[in-house]
Amino acid sequence: MDRTPVHLLFVEDSELDAELSVRALEQGGFDVSWERVQAESDLKQALQSSNPQAVLSDFSMPGFDGIQALRVVREMSPGVPFIFVSGTIGEECAIDAIRLGATDYVLKNNMRRLGTTVRRALSESAERERIRLAEEERARLVKVLEATSDYVGISDPDGKIIYMNEAGRKLTGAPESGDVGKSVIDIYPQWVSERVDGEGQPGAAHPGLWQGESVLLGAGGTQIPVSQVIIAHNGPDGDTRFFSTIARDMRERKAYEARLQHFANYDSLTSLPNRTLLGDRALQAIAHARRSGRPAALLVLNLDRFKLVNESGSHGAGDALLKRVADRLRGVVREGDTIARLGADTFAVLAADLARPDDALAVARKIQEAMSPSFGLEGRDLHVTVSLGASIYPRDGEEFDILLRNAEAAMHRVKAEGRNGFQFYAAAMTREATDRVELENELRLALGRNELEVHYQPQVDLSDGRTVGVEALIRWRHRERGWIPPVQFIPVAEDCDLIHPLGEFALVQSCGQIRAWDQAGLAELRLAVNVSAQQFRSPDFVEAVTRALLATELEPGRLELELTESVLVDNRDEALPILKRLKALGVQIAVDDFGTGYSSLSYLSRLPIDCLKIDRSFVSRVHERGHDAAIAQAVITLAHSLGLRVIAEGVETDAQREFLRSHACNLGQGYLFSRPARPEAIARHVAAGSPRLELDSVV
Ligand code: C2E
Ligand code: MG
Ligand code: MG
């Protein structure tokens, strides 16, 4: 059997007694090396020089005291077992000795115990040493953890945080020392908590580690982006006992990334988006335009004669000007539009979600206006003009590169033609859009300048030739351009909301006119007034009609509102309640231009309507007795069977009138009876009762 080697120090005055002990130990299975001291100084020296594994001491010696020896050993080698081996130690002394730190005692008359006692003492001291080393190691690790700049925390499966390092405490605002006092719920925003519960911890439990980006709640509740690792510590049964979390504050990195991103997408001088970002935004705008059907415009502008500023001013004057230009541009565009700097003195504006392509002209005008005040630069007043070109999605291109190229081409055309101007890529559009914008501006003024008039066209009972009603038709006498027909300005008015004041004007004016005729004793006439889609759908429309009727005291049954098929059909759910409210007022509803749309008569008949106006395009060909005649005839018959009145529009010849009369069409309206004319002329016409009075017509 292998003997256990052991090195012992005896504090003993008797060499013989020491040998006896050694023998007893050898019998107990030890291979003993030993030395013996009997004075305090020798004891101290031996402890230092030979590192004994245990001290075996007599209790009372002539020159030295066992208790004193114990004190010395405990002081110099606290971990070394100290065993009294004595013949004289009494039970009480022994207990005192143990209290003072002795490991055990063995009586000399019971030496058989010595082997077991030493063995136990050695194993206990080894265990203590192991624990001490482990404790030391733990302390070292904690020191490292405390010193790391990342968050480190350990929590139990219930979420209670049992350790958090200094960085963690600082980050989350936990107390500097003592109880962390936090649970994992406190350190995460709600959504992260859910993610940690649902994904992080299960992921950590199997296979043992989870890594991801998340967010910690900082001291003041700020959200701190972190890259996080969760480690599960499992017990021997496989159940998780603890979770460790290491989290690195990513704020700086995120800010850095954002800065990089910014550099990649923005111009450093003006902080405007650069070409790359403009391209991204254009892609989005194009996708939106495709879905919504609304056009988008890309405008490119270049400063005229920028080189001169750059060369004549001081160094930096050019840059200063560009910054100021960028600022003014920012003030011009709508939210959601993008301004970009494409190159030295070239900028772009992406205007999305336009009502119509022409709106790009309005953007260009705004840019020009924004540039027109002089720029005070280095004590000089600098006037800057710009050359602008625009391309429109989709008509000028369906991709960003093409739109940009075309807008640039238009801009270069402006340069070539003398700078300081604007052009669309599609050359004809520039003129059309300019006209339209001018028309819009002038129409706005026209209302105030009384340039609008209402003319009337008689509606004649075909059975006896009497005028029974009139249609009100609006007219614009432009101070320079003369008469402008409604087909030109009504669509413009519809686009810019002028249709509301304009429609109300026509309504009030014509109702008033009818009343004036009533008072003058003219035959009682029905009044037909045209209503555009925009007007009809405006929330105020029914009120506007009510107001006009009240103001003029016209009996509602004498007012007929003319609506086109598309107004009634395109959005039936929206139209029906409005129609019902109008019917409740007592006014009549006529379907204008019937036959030009695709709606069926049976479909229309389900709406509360009173009258059909057969479109001029059918009427003009009825006498040919062909297809159109058959349709007109069928429409009249069907309309009558549905209880509707029928008016034929655009009756120009006797043959047409005859055809219509013979097919029982109720009413006719057209140049054959009278052109639309001013009220005085119409009054004379009605009074004369003449079915065919030629009048000075205007349009
Ligand atoms: P509409 O309601 O179909 O009006 C009939 C149009 O046909 C009028 O044109 C009239 O002058 C024209 N016309 C009448 N008889 C004949 C004929 O025998 N031969 C030919 N070739 N034409 C004839 P106008 O006045 O130019 O009006 C055009 C359209 O403008 C109208 O079509 C109507 O939709 C709209 N409009 C006119 N006034 C107003 C108004 O006050 N408000 C709204 N919203 N629209 C109006
Ligand atoms: Mg009409
Ligand atoms: Mg019509």
Side-chain angles (χ1 to χ4, degrees):
M1 192 178 97
D2 276 350
R3 289 169 172 276
T4 315
V6 63
H7 179 69
L8 299 175
L9 176 62
F10 284 92
V11 184
E12 177 63 77
D13 57 334
S14 153
E15 178 84 0
L16 187 67
D17 280 359
E19 279 174 1
L20 279 173
S21 294
V22 168
R23 203 151 314 137
L25 287 169
E26 282 170 349
Q27 276 166 7
F30 285 101
D31 176 9
V32 184
S33 63
W34 58 283
E35 58 196 302
R36 184 176 66 86
V37 295
Q38 50 186 330
E40 183 167 343
S41 58
D42 293 342
L43 171 63
K44 285 182 177 166
Q45 205 188 338
L47 283 173
Q48 262 173 2
S49 59
S50 70
N51 275 330
Q53 282 170 272
V55 177
L56 270 59
S57 173
D58 199 355
F59 194 65
S60 54
M61 293 157 280
F64 194 21
D65 176 2
I67 294 293
Q68 180 55 21
L70 174 60
R71 279 201 190 98
V72 170
V73 173
R74 277 293 152 265
E75 199 179 298
M76 289 183 64
S77 309
V80 174
F82 187 101
I83 299 165
F84 279 115
V85 182
S86 169
T88 57
I89 195 165
E91 196 70 22
E92 266 177 35
C93 278
I95 290 170
D96 275 352
I98 301 269
R99 232 182 333 109
L100 285 170
T103 313
D104 211 339
Y105 70 93
V106 175
L107 294 176
K108 283 185 179 168
N109 60 10
N110 193 10
M111 287 302 259
R112 275 177 295 128
R113 254 195 80 214
L114 188 61
T116 331
T117 304
V118 166
R119 199 172 288 282
R120 190 173 62 228
L122 287 177
S123 106
E124 280 173 7
S125 95
E127 175 64 13
R128 270 199 307 280
E129 182 63 3
R130 207 183 52 70
I131 291 174
R132 192 183 60 79
L133 289 175
E135 199 47 49
E136 255 178 41
E137 188 180 357
R138 198 190 81 90
R140 262 197 315 274
L141 289 177
V142 166
K143 218 166 164 182
V144 172
L145 291 183
E146 287 295 301
T148 54
S149 54
D150 289 347
Y151 169 104
V152 179
I154 302 175
S155 59
D156 65 17
D158 294 334
K160 185 172 181 312
I161 297 177
I162 51 177
Y163 170 75
M164 196 187 271
N165 70 347
E166 191 188 338
R169 295 194 298 269
K170 267 203 188 128
L171 208 65
T172 62
E176 267 306 297
S177 56
D179 188 10
V180 178
K182 282 197 183 257
S183 132
V184 287
I185 297 176
D186 306 323
I187 62 162
Y188 298 123
Q190 168 88 17
W191 65 272
V192 178
S193 257
E194 283 164 15
R195 183 154 171 239
V196 167
D197 279 354
E199 184 188 325
Q201 294 191 344
H206 314 275
L209 191 118
W210 177 86
Q211 222 164 348
E213 286 202 1
S214 80
V215 169
L216 289 189
L217 282 180
T222 47
Q223 303 213 348
I224 301 166
V226 292
S227 93
Q228 188 175 2
V229 174
I230 300 178
I231 303 163
H233 306 282
N234 296 344
D237 53 2
D239 283 357
T240 300
R241 303 279 159 86
F242 301 103
F243 289 103
S244 289
T245 293
I246 305 162
R248 174 158 297 177
D249 185 344
M250 302 251 284
R251 278 177 293 189
E252 263 180 38
R253 209 179 100 196
K254 293 266 176 204
Y256 178 68
E257 281 172 3
R259 268 206 310 282
L260 281 189
Q261 182 87 351
H262 195 269
F263 281 134
N265 284 312
Y266 290 85
D267 165 47
S268 55
L269 177 67
T270 59
S271 294
L272 289 176
N274 62 14
R275 200 198 136 115
T276 314
L277 186 55
L278 177 69
D280 284 353
R281 300 267 174 88
L283 226 63
Q284 289 168 21
I286 286 170
H288 174 79
R290 204 169 279 146
R291 281 194 306 274
S292 66
R294 287 162 75 88
L298 183 62
L299 289 88
V300 169
L301 64 131
N302 185 273
L303 307 191
D304 296 329
R305 301 195 172 86
F306 176 69
K307 241 176 115 190
L308 278 178
V309 181
N310 229 1
E311 284 164 5
S312 64
S314 76
H315 179 73
D319 283 358
L321 176 63
L322 291 170
K323 278 192 192 169
R324 304 270 296 278
V325 167
D327 287 342
R328 287 196 190 176
L329 286 176
R330 280 193 189 93
V332 163
V333 302
R334 288 190 311 186
E335 203 179 307
D337 292 351
T338 301
I339 317 164
R341 182 169 172 228
L342 298 182
D345 58 338
T346 307
F347 297 84
V349 174
L350 173 69
D353 207 25
L354 302 177
R356 50 169 201 268
D358 300 4
D359 286 350
L361 178 62
V363 179
R365 290 258 165 99
K366 277 200 283 179
I367 293 172
Q368 286 171 320
E369 272 165 31
M371 295 303 149
S372 76
S374 62
F375 289 83
L377 214 67
E378 302 189 322
R380 286 186 302 161
D381 266 352
L382 201 67
H383 287 275
V384 172
T385 60
V386 291
S387 297
L388 283 146
S391 59
I392 303 294
Y393 171 88
R395 64 178 282 177
D396 300 332
E398 303 208 351
E399 281 164 38
F400 170 63
D401 286 345
I402 296 171
L403 288 168
L404 184 60
R405 199 184 61 209
N406 289 347
E408 277 170 340
M411 185 268 286
H412 286 302
R413 222 159 49 214
V414 173
K415 290 263 178 202
E417 288 173 18
R419 306 186 177 89
N420 188 18
F422 167 76
Q423 281 197 23
F424 281 102
Y425 174 66
M429 212 180 135
T430 307
R431 171 96 229 128
E432 285 163 24
T434 318
D435 284 354
R436 196 177 172 113
V437 169
E438 260 164 33
L439 206 65
E440 184 181 314
N441 289 337
E442 284 172 341
L443 188 55
R444 218 174 278 283
L445 297 174
L447 275 159
R449 287 178 184 159
N450 292 328
E451 289 178 8
L452 295 169
E453 292 178 16
V454 181
H455 287 198
Y456 301 87
Q457 187 177 34
Q459 296 182 332
V460 175
D461 187 327
L462 291 177
S463 64
D464 59 10
R466 271 185 319 118
T467 297
V468 293
V470 289
E471 177 175 5
L473 293 160
I474 199 156
R475 297 287 180 265
W476 178 9
R477 188 202 277 280
H478 190 279
R479 9 164 97 183
E480 283 142 27
R481 294 201 230 169
W483 291 104
I484 300 179
V487 286
Q488 269 179 33
F489 67 86
I490 294 278
V492 174
E494 284 201 294
D495 279 344
C496 66
D497 282 351
L498 277 173
I499 192 67
H500 304 298
L502 196 145
E504 193 151 355
F505 165 78
L507 197 62
V508 172
Q509 185 79 16
S510 57
C511 288
Q513 183 60 62
I514 293 290
R515 293 296 288 146
W517 280 333
D518 283 352
Q519 268 143 30
L522 214 64
E524 250 193 24
L525 299 171
R526 177 184 288 127
L527 169 67
V529 178
N530 293 285
V531 175
S532 82
Q534 294 286 332
Q535 245 180 305
F536 181 69
R537 293 203 190 100
S538 117
D540 182 46
F541 178 61
V542 181
E543 279 75 31
V545 174
T546 316
R547 276 199 300 275
L549 289 171
L550 285 176
T552 56
E553 295 181 327
L554 179 67
E555 198 232 309
R558 290 172 65 194
L559 176 63
E560 183 160 83
L561 298 176
E562 292 192 4
L563 302 164
T564 57
E565 277 173 73
S566 59
V567 173
L568 299 170
V569 174
D570 287 351
N571 204 339
R572 185 170 179 269
D573 293 343
E574 204 185 339
L576 195 57
I578 308 176
L579 287 176
K580 283 187 176 156
R581 288 175 64 200
L582 290 169
K583 288 307 297 176
L585 265 184
V587 302
Q588 306 262 303
I589 305 291
V591 181
D592 204 352
D593 305 340
F594 182 74
T596 52
Y598 298 95
S599 53
S600 74
L601 191 50
S602 67
Y603 172 79
L604 280 177
S605 71
R606 276 182 256 144
L607 297 171
I609 56 175
D610 307 279
C611 173
L612 272 192
K613 294 190 78 174
I614 304 178
D615 191 66
R616 188 166 74 236
S617 54
F618 290 98
V619 174
S620 65
R621 289 192 294 268
V622 287
H623 61 281
E624 290 164 17
R625 314 251 160 210
H627 190 59
D628 288 322
I631 292 178
Q633 195 179 333
V635 167
I636 296 166
T637 317
L638 209 59
H640 282 159
S641 70
L642 293 167
L644 302 176
R645 240 178 314 120
V646 183
I647 304 185
E649 290 189 296
V651 183
E652 291 182 353
T653 64
D654 286 323
Q656 288 163 356
R657 185 192 53 188
E658 254 330 284
F659 175 90
L660 292 161
R661 196 189 56 77
S662 65
H663 288 94
C665 178
N666 308 84
L667 303 167
Q669 179 183 342
Y671 295 169
L672 176 68
F673 310 108
S674 165
R675 288 182 176 251
R678 285 203 164 120
E680 313 82 72
I682 293 298
R684 268 183 273 129
H685 170 80
V686 175
S690 159
R692 291 182 68 167
L693 192 68
E694 283 300 323
L695 292 161
D696 290 335
S697 64
V698 276
V699 175

